Amino acid sequence: VRHARSKLAIRWKLSRRGKEGDVTAFYGVELPTAFMLGTAQYPSPAILGAAFRESAASVATVSVRREAAGAQAGEGFWRLIRDLGVHVLPNTAGCHSSSEAITTAKMARELFETDWIKLEVIGHSDSLQPDPFGLVEAAASLCRDGFKVFPYTTEDLVLADRLLDAGCEVLMPWGAPIGTGLGLVNPLWVAKLARAISGCADGY
Amino acid sequence: MKISINGAAKDVTSTNLAAVLHEAGYRDARVATAVNGNFVPVGPTCVMPDRSWRSGGNCRAAARRVM
């Protein structure tokens, strides 16, 4: 699990089942936990599998990569992920414009047979900070096209409102710049965002 | 006809997408494709008009890869 990158998703719609624990629902799909894991940079497929088993993550994020002619590498990875028995959340990693993200999302939907998409539109090359304008534009287009969009966003409250207005039911605010492993850099505003979209009273 | 597939120049004789992918070595691969930045879904619509390729088509073929 040490090698895995955990992800935080803020749930817009929650459903509860008794006192045993919360059941997270993303776009109507109930999951035992909102915990997600990435699938990159594991030392081996066995360790990847162990990370998912030990963490009990419900969702695996995957990306679309270019495939060389004659190569079948992607198919092997896909079988590995499918055998984990978790939900697959494709992403648009590496996209720097809304149009590029939209095209990649459509390719991902066809490849992974899901309308879930973790929407990434990168605006700043060094920090990989999302481009808020391109993100909203792409989110609106994809929502209209039937996608269930999980936008990778900052903790900005106004941007969150725009994404919800665009049709998103889930937000994925960054905890720290991608790849830094710094944990929650700005817990105050992430918590504030969570309260805001849950309709809870605000407070510091 | 010269096209670019995933950034690599390629000379092909086929003029529709399915045939181009086959000719380029993606025979059994399950790939999604975009031509000149536009997604092309599988099925009948994968037959592209010739003009797409005459204009120096840029084909992107992506397979199931994980990250």
Side-chain angles (χ1 to χ4, degrees):
Chain A
V1 179
R2 185 183 57 181
H3 299 282
R5 286 189 302 166
S6 62
K7 300 177 189 308
L8 171 71
I10 290 184
R11 296 157 290 172
W12 172 239
K13 291 182 176 176
L14 304 176
S15 61
R16 294 179 181 277
R17 182 180 289 169
K19 294 182 178 178
E20 293 299 315
D22 291 344
V23 175
T24 301
F26 292 145
Y27 290 102
V29 176
E30 291 191 348
L31 301 169
T33 170
F35 192 59
M36 302 177 178
L37 280 183
T39 49
Q41 299 178 0
Y42 289 85
S44 71
I47 291 177
L48 185 154
F52 272 84
R53 283 192 300 276
E54 294 298 319
S55 67
S58 300
V59 177
T61 60
V62 299
S63 72
V64 174
R65 294 285 184 86
R66 286 174 168 81
E67 176 94 327
Q72 297 283 327
E75 196 61 34
F77 277 108
W78 170 241
R79 281 196 296 272
L80 173 67
I81 297 303
R82 192 177 51 197
D83 291 347
L84 294 174
V86 298
H87 285 267
V88 174
L89 177 58
N91 63 40
T92 61
C95 293
H96 290 256
S97 71
S98 59
S99 61
E100 190 182 6
I102 290 168
T103 296
T104 302
K106 291 177 178 176
M107 296 173 86
R109 179 164 62 179
E110 186 175 275
L111 287 168
F112 295 105
E113 299 166 2
T114 176
D115 52 11
W116 282 16
I117 189 73
K118 181 188 174 198
L119 180 60
E120 299 183 25
V121 182
I122 300 305
H124 191 261
S125 296
D126 290 339
S127 67
L128 302 181
Q129 179 171 337
D131 168 3
F133 310 103
L135 185 65
V136 171
E137 181 183 344
S141 174
L142 291 170
C143 286
R144 282 195 301 271
D145 197 21
F147 280 89
K148 310 294 190 297
V149 178
F150 296 63
Y152 169 65
T153 180
T154 65
E155 62 278 88
D156 188 287
L157 297 180
V158 179
L159 175 55
D161 278 340
R162 296 293 181 272
L163 291 167
L164 296 175
D165 290 344
C168 299
E169 296 183 4
V170 178
L171 302 177
M172 296 188 74
W174 64 353
I178 292 173
T180 61
L182 293 174
L184 278 180
V185 171
N186 198 349
L188 172 69
W189 280 93
V190 171
K192 198 172 180 65
L193 174 61
R195 287 194 298 271
I197 66 171
S198 300
C200 297
D202 195 17
Y204 289 94
Chain B
M1 178 172 53
K2 294 186 187 304
I3 63 170
S4 168
I5 301 181
N6 288 339
K10 198 85 177 174
D11 238 330
V12 294
T13 56
S14 306
T15 56
N16 73 64
L17 183 53
V20 165
L21 289 174
H22 190 270
E23 183 180 342
Y26 292 92
R27 289 174 180 80
D28 301 317
R30 182 165 181 168
V31 295
T33 52
V35 176
N36 294 337
N38 297 309
F39 170 65
V40 183
V42 292
T45 54
C46 72
V47 178
M48 296 297 295
D50 286 351
R51 56 186 169 81
S52 292
W53 299 104
R54 287 198 196 105
S55 63
N58 189 348
C59 178
R60 173 183 170 190
R64 282 173 168 152
R65 292 296 303 274
V66 295
M67 175 178 177

